[in-house]
Amino acid sequence: MKPNKTALITGASRGIGKAIAWRLASEGYDLALHCRSRTDELKLAAELMENEFGTKTSLLQFDVADRVSTKISLEEYLSQFGPPYAVICNAGVTADNSFPAMLDPEWDVVLNTNLGSFYNVLHPLVMPMVSTRKPGRIVTISSVSGLIGNRGQVNYSASKAGIIGATKALAMELAKRNITVNCVAPGLIDTDMVTQEILDVALKAVPAQRVGRPEEVAATISFLLSEDASYITRQVICVNGGMF
Ligand code: NDP
């Protein structure tokens, strides 16, 4: 049955975000699909989803690291469509380097994009969501790297660990408002972010001995958005083939 609910997904043009979008479209959610640059791909996906599932979509384009343009775009969205039922903060980047060799822009872009976007995206949305007095869902995307730390990823591990702390704290603030806030921490997932070089090294650390599929992460997010997950909040759910 169509849930009559809207999910806003950041970074929906590729990889995990795209898989989340297709999964939720297939379940009857309406979608607000966001990306930074690949609007043509997103438009095409929206048309296909509309044809296949009758999905109502709206498209958003902004750099999640840019607080001002993110706020302006989300306020415009809210004035047109009202608050979404669910927000999935998925957009993220890596800029790997050993710590001694790390450049200022590598540190800044990863922290501002991955952790800065927690504030930039959720701050304009949370009060409007609370004001509806209806149940809601927030899901953030961390990483195994944020839980155990990873060589060459001091910036990325810091940003993803920060997301976990922020998620747990926001869950405390919103629990009595019926809005659950959880974090999904994927391991090694087959997207543009994972190069063959990364795979060659990291696969050895995966007990399941294979890379994960974006659809496997999307399935967990679908569950967290469901009624069945209404008593799950402030949690980190790992989707990592047993890495941690
Ligand atoms: P991809 O590189 O495949 O896709 C990244 C998405 O984020 C794209 O839609 C991209 O938009 C968007 N994006 C990136 N930077 C920005 C920005 N500054 N502003 C707005 N949008 C942005 O990544 P994945 O699908 O692999 O990763 C999705 C999430 O999962 C990330 O948070 C990542 O850290 C996390 N993750 C991924 C793992 C993996 O193994 N793949 C493992 C653990 C966590 P556009 O297409 O327009 O550039």
Side-chain angles (χ1 to χ4, degrees), residues 40 65-66 71 104 118 128 150 210 225 229 231:
D40 289 347
D66 180 338
K71 189 172 184 327
D104 293 354
F118 180 97
N150 195 22
R210 68 169 178 88
L225 263 53
Y231 201 51

Side-chain angles (χ1 to χ4, degrees), residues 11 13-14 16 36-37 63-64 90 142 156 160 187 189 191:
S13 51
R14 291 185 282 133
I16 293 171
R36 174 182 41 184
S37 53
D63 179 343
V64 292
N90 163 76
S142 179
Y156 186 73
K160 292 298 186 178
I189 309 295
T191 70

Side-chain angles (χ1 to χ4, degrees), residues 10-18 34-39 41-42 61-66 89-94 109 112-114 117 141-145 156 159-160 163 184-194 198 211-212 214 217:
T10 67
S13 51
R14 291 185 282 133
I16 293 171
K18 184 177 173 180
H34 158 270
C35 72
R36 174 182 41 184
S37 53
R38 303 193 183 207
T39 41
E41 277 109 311
L42 215 52
Q61 182 188 14
F62 51 84
D63 179 343
V64 292
D66 180 338
C89 294
N90 163 76
V93 288
T94 50
V109 76
N112 294 340
T113 304
N114 298 357
S117 64
I141 307 290
S142 179
S143 165
V144 68
S145 183
Y156 186 73
S159 71
K160 292 298 186 178
I163 285 172
V184 171
L188 203 58
I189 309 295
D190 189 10
T191 70
D192 294 346
M193 195 177 266
V194 174
I198 295 175
V211 69
V217 182

Side-chain angles (χ1 to χ4, degrees), residues 23-212:
R23 171 76 188 225
L24 297 182
S26 76
E27 292 172 353
Y29 286 89
D30 294 324
L31 299 176
L33 301 174
H34 158 270
C35 72
R36 174 182 41 184
S37 53
R38 303 193 183 207
T39 41
D40 289 347
E41 277 109 311
L42 215 52
K43 266 186 208 150
L44 180 62
E47 280 170 25
L48 295 171
M49 286 171 193
E50 186 172 356
N51 290 341
E52 197 168 337
F53 307 113
T55 314
K56 282 188 222 146
T57 50
S58 49
L59 304 183
L60 294 158
Q61 182 188 14
F62 51 84
D63 179 343
V64 292
D66 180 338
R67 185 168 301 156
V68 174
S69 64
T70 301
K71 189 172 184 327
I72 290 170
S73 301
L74 289 173
E75 285 177 351
E76 261 173 43
Y77 172 83
L78 286 167
S79 67
Q80 221 182 325
F81 300 101
Y85 161 73
V87 184
I88 298 119
C89 294
N90 163 76
V93 288
T94 50
D96 296 355
N97 209 341
S98 67
F99 190 63
M102 189 162 284
L103 304 170
D104 293 354
E106 291 170 338
W107 177 267
D108 291 340
V109 76
V110 171
L111 268 292
N112 294 340
T113 304
N114 298 357
L115 185 54
S117 64
F118 180 97
Y119 179 83
N120 298 344
V121 172
L122 290 177
H123 196 255
L125 294 174
V126 160
M127 260 325 285
M129 286 171 77
V130 167
S131 305
T132 66
R133 295 175 181 273
K134 291 182 184 157
R137 300 282 189 267
I138 293 171
V139 182
T140 59
I141 307 290
S142 179
S143 165
V144 68
S145 183
L147 286 159
I148 60 175
N150 195 22
R151 186 188 297 274
Q153 291 197 319
V154 173
N155 51 357
Y156 186 73
S157 296
S159 71
K160 292 298 186 178
I163 285 172
I164 292 172
T167 301
K168 290 187 172 194
L170 186 59
M172 292 289 283
E173 293 191 17
L174 297 184
K176 66 173 185 289
R177 309 286 190 174
N178 240 333
I179 298 175
T180 67
V181 189
N182 291 292
C183 185
V184 171
L188 203 58
I189 309 295
D190 189 10
T191 70
D192 294 346
M193 195 177 266
V194 174
T195 59
Q196 190 58 47
E197 196 187 338
I198 295 175
L199 271 184
D200 290 343
V201 177
L203 256 184
K204 294 184 188 95
V206 184
Q209 295 192 328
R210 68 169 178 88
V211 69

